[in-house]
Amino acid sequence: MDPVFFPANLLLSLVIFSLGVMGVLWQRNALSVFMSIELMLNAGNLALISFAQRFGDSAGAGLVLFIMTVAAAEAGVGLAIFIRLYRQRNTIELDKAHELQG
């Protein structure tokens, strides 16, 4: 990997992570917050892959695969929760989700 791309990749990762944080803080729709969390995970993956490529360590790639597996499981469980919330409340707004406590 060309060393010129390392800072650019880290900057891109920082921008994507910042967009994810802003989405989590500002969105009221649960699906939008969920997508913002996925953006943050992908930004972390980009940073890990950049560091692994830069320093020649393959452990970063293994960690990225683990994070992608966890994100896929999170997507399945999260979407199931959103479907259940929508069927019960006819909305997926986070302000109404506190009514699920039991």
Side-chain angles (χ1 to χ4, degrees), residues 50-78:
S50 297
F51 278 111
Q53 185 80 22
R54 174 77 167 101
F55 298 113
D57 188 13
S58 62
L63 187 58
V64 165
L65 287 176
F66 178 73
I67 291 172
M68 288 172 63
T69 305
V70 170
E74 172 195 357
V77 172

Side-chain angles (χ1 to χ4, degrees), residues 35-47:
M35 289 184 342
S36 297
I37 291 171
E38 291 294 327
L39 267 178
M40 291 169 29
L41 284 172
N42 286 328
N45 282 341
L46 178 61

Side-chain angles (χ1 to χ4, degrees), residues 4-43:
V4 175
F5 292 119
F6 179 67
N9 283 342
L10 289 183
L11 181 64
L12 179 62
S13 176
L14 178 68
V15 168
I16 293 172
F17 191 84
S18 299
L19 288 172
V21 168
M22 287 190 307
V24 167
L25 293 177
W26 290 344
Q27 296 294 326
R28 294 290 173 231
N29 188 331
L31 196 56
S32 297
V33 171
F34 185 71
M35 289 184 342
S36 297
I37 291 171
E38 291 294 327
L39 267 178
M40 291 169 29
L41 284 172
N42 286 328

Side-chain angles (χ1 to χ4, degrees), residues 49-97:
I49 286 294
S50 297
F51 278 111
Q53 185 80 22
R54 174 77 167 101
F55 298 113
D57 188 13
S58 62
L63 187 58
V64 165
L65 287 176
F66 178 73
I67 291 172
M68 288 172 63
T69 305
V70 170
E74 172 195 357
V77 172
L79 291 176
I81 290 171
F82 296 151
I83 290 170
R84 181 70 174 176
L85 179 63
Y86 183 76
R87 285 184 180 170
Q88 284 184 349
R89 308 282 184 217
N90 286 333
T91 185
I92 56 172
E93 297 296 319
L94 289 177
D95 295 335
K96 309 246 166 117

